């Protein structure tokens, strides 16, 4: 499936998606443009292309509108890099679609992980049209990516008040609530919304995803079956067929679908795990570490590292899919690419018991992985991938340092991927609260940075790009309260950089001097280094 456009002056040639030719109905340019928009909204892309190729491109305004619509098609089929070129052409060509062009640029930038550009273009779109809700959502999603939860919450609540029936606002808000307050909060928000707007296919779709991720399988199938019918009613046959394929994969006998209707089943509260003081993403059968932690690694004298070479990796036009059947049970976690590009550092508990492993970095490249090394002393594991990631997608060993108290601690990973539905990494920001773990464990450290299920194994950076350690878990405040009656704030735990170096057989080097980066710049630089790990038993 592809679309190509070659421009010589104002002449244009367009190939239909999938190489299939469709006869366009005879109509004037303006009605045809509106028809093309309607077809794109209904995800009937081949028919839309057939309409667009009939339009008169000698008119600059019409040509710019064609660019806008092709940009929207490429965004819809998951090719933001291609979309970017069309939106750039449209932004130069005409003022009539200026807000729409800048919106398209911001959405493509966001999909490619360039948060600074996404913000700038969203702001330009809002300057042209202050009521453009999608531009506000770009800004909210950018805030969420870099951990600015308060800013995102303020914007989303205001949007909810202004656009109470907006499907897009409801979905982004529900994902935000799931991340901040737990899955039940996101599900509750979507259940409230579909009662208010029962024709919202996207809300039912997202509700089904969240319910499936929390084990409410019968309700999930029913919600997504409702979404399937609503997508079909909208004319979005592609999404309807995708829903049908998913339902067939997870419920081939129709047993889940036949259970009680969604509204008749009571919500199942998520119970906190009370057995351990540290909650990890591990399977229940995973064994605890078999040896006591060794003493902390002392810094050894070492020559200053050479100046850092920063190479910007290029994001794929469309992220590569994991070769896993729809509805298959999977485990997810996070990791970081190390120097050389073939080794992935993560937690041991992320990969224990898995027979098949894949990793995908933030620029969309997928690799098959195998376990190369496991620590019996720390919750660390090293994976080797079948071929290295592109140049630039690595963390130099010289950038791994010990975490000093008070230093910014920024976790990058893929929290609650099944709930949030966002396959790019997110940042959360805090500080190193104490350079020792619980009980003054010398091999871990405490940080105020909030982490969630799926963050395990993810890198903890400072604002200079040094790797302070990897996220491993958090205190179980419910268990502590039950045992002691003391209510504590969440404290999140990381494994120190020194322990990582000991695991790798390296010595701690002197900290290299580097300027601090903004969160947007840090995100852009580290995007190819943070990986999503997917495993199957």
């Amino acid at each position: 499936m592809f679309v190509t456009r070659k421009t010589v002056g104002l002449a244009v040639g367009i190939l239909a998606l999938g190489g299939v030719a469709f006869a366009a109905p005879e109509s004037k340019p303006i009605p045809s443009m509106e028809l093309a928009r309607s077809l794109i909204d209904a995800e009937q892309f081949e028919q839309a292309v057939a309409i667009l190729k009939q339009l008169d491109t000698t008119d600059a305004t019409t040509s710019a509108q064609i660019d806008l619509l092709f940009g929207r098609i490429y965004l819809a089929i998951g090719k933001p890099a291609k979309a970017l070129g069309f939106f750039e052409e449209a932004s130069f060509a005409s003022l009539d679609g200026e807000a729409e062009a800048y919106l398209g640029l911001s959405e493509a930038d966001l999909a490619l992980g360039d948060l600074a550009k996404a913000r700038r273009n969203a702001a330009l779109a809002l300057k042209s049209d202050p009521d453009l809700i999608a531009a506000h959502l770009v800004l909210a999603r950018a805030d969420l990516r870099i951990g600015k939860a308060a800013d995102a919450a303020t914007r989303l609540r205001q949007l909810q008040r202004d656009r109470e029936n907006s499907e897009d606002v409801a979905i982004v808000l529900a994902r935000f609530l799931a991340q901040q307050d737990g899955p039940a909060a996101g599900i509750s928000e979507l259940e409230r919304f579909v009662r208010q707007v029962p024709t919202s296919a996207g809300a039912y779709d997202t509700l089904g995803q969240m319910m499936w991720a929390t084990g409410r399988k019968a309700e999930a199938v029913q919600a997504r079956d409702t979404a399937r019918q609503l997508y079909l009613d909208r004319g979005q046959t592609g999404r309807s067929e995708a829903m049908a394929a998913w339902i067939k994969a997870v419920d081939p006998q129709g047993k889940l679908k036949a259970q009680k209707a969604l509204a008749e089943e009571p919500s199942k509260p998520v119970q906190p795990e009370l057995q351990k003081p540290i909650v990890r993403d591990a399977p229940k059968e995973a064994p605890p570490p078999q040896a006591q932690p060794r003493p902390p690694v002392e810094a050894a004298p070492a020559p200053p590292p050479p100046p850092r070479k920063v190479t910007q990796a290029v994001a794929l036009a469309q992220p590569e899919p994991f070769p896993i059947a729809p509805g298959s049970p999977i485990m997810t976690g996070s990791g970081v690419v190390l120097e050389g590009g073939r080794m992935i550092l993560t937690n041991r508990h992320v990969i224990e018991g898995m027979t098949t492993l894949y990793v995908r970095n933030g620029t969309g490249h997928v690799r098959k992985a195998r376990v190369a090394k496991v620590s019996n002393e720390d919750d660390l594991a090293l994976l080797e991938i079948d071929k290295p990631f592109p140049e630039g997608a690595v963390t130099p060993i010289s950038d791994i340092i010990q975490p000093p108290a008070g230093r910014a601690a920024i976790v990058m990973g893929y929290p609650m991927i099944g709930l949030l539905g966002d396959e790019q990494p997110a940042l959360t920001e805090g500080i190193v609260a104490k350079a020792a773990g619980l009980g003054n464990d010398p091999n871990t450290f405490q940080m105020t940075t909030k982490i969630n299920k799926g963050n395990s194994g993810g890198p903890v950076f400072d604002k200079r790009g040094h790797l302070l350690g990897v996220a491993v878990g958090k205190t179980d405040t419910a268990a502590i309260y039950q045992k002691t009656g003391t209510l504590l704030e969440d404290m999140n735990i990381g494994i120190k950089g020194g322990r990582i170096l000991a695991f790798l057989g390296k010595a701690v080097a002197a900290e290299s001097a580097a300027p601090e980066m903004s969160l947007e710049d840090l995100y852009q630089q580290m995007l190819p280094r943070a990986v999503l790990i997917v495993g199957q038993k």
Side-chain angles (χ1 to χ4, degrees), residues 1-4 14-22 43-50 70 73-74 77 79:
M1 179 180 290
F2 62 94
V3 182
T4 62
I14 302 175
L15 297 177
L17 289 169
V20 180
F22 288 84
E43 298 181 348
Q44 302 295 316
F45 301 127
E46 292 90 347
Q47 294 92 325
V49 169
F70 270 101
I73 290 173
Y74 271 122
I77 63 175
K79 296 187 176 182

Side-chain angles (χ1 to χ4, degrees), residues 390-402:
E391 187 178 2
V394 297
T395 299
I397 299 297
S398 60
D399 279 355
I400 304 176
I401 66 170
Q402 292 281 51

Side-chain angles (χ1 to χ4, degrees), residues 302-383:
R308 179 185 304 170
K309 179 183 177 183
V310 178
T311 303
Q312 181 63 55
V314 178
L316 294 178
Q318 185 173 15
E320 296 173 348
F322 289 108
I324 295 173
S328 300
I330 60 172
M331 172 285 311
T332 66
S334 301
V336 59
V337 186
L338 296 181
E339 196 168 274
R342 292 192 65 166
M343 308 307 290
I344 309 294
L345 180 71
T346 188
N347 289 148
R348 182 186 66 237
H349 76 258
V350 167
I351 54 85
E352 276 181 320
M354 299 298 126
T355 59
T356 304
L357 290 164
Y358 296 97
V359 298
R360 179 166 63 199
N361 72 348
T363 53
H365 299 82
V366 171
R367 300 288 187 267
K368 189 170 184 179
R370 69 173 187 87
V371 178
K373 184 179 181 181
V374 174
S375 172
N376 290 322
E377 300 166 346
D378 301 291
D379 193 350
L380 294 172
L382 198 63
L383 308 182

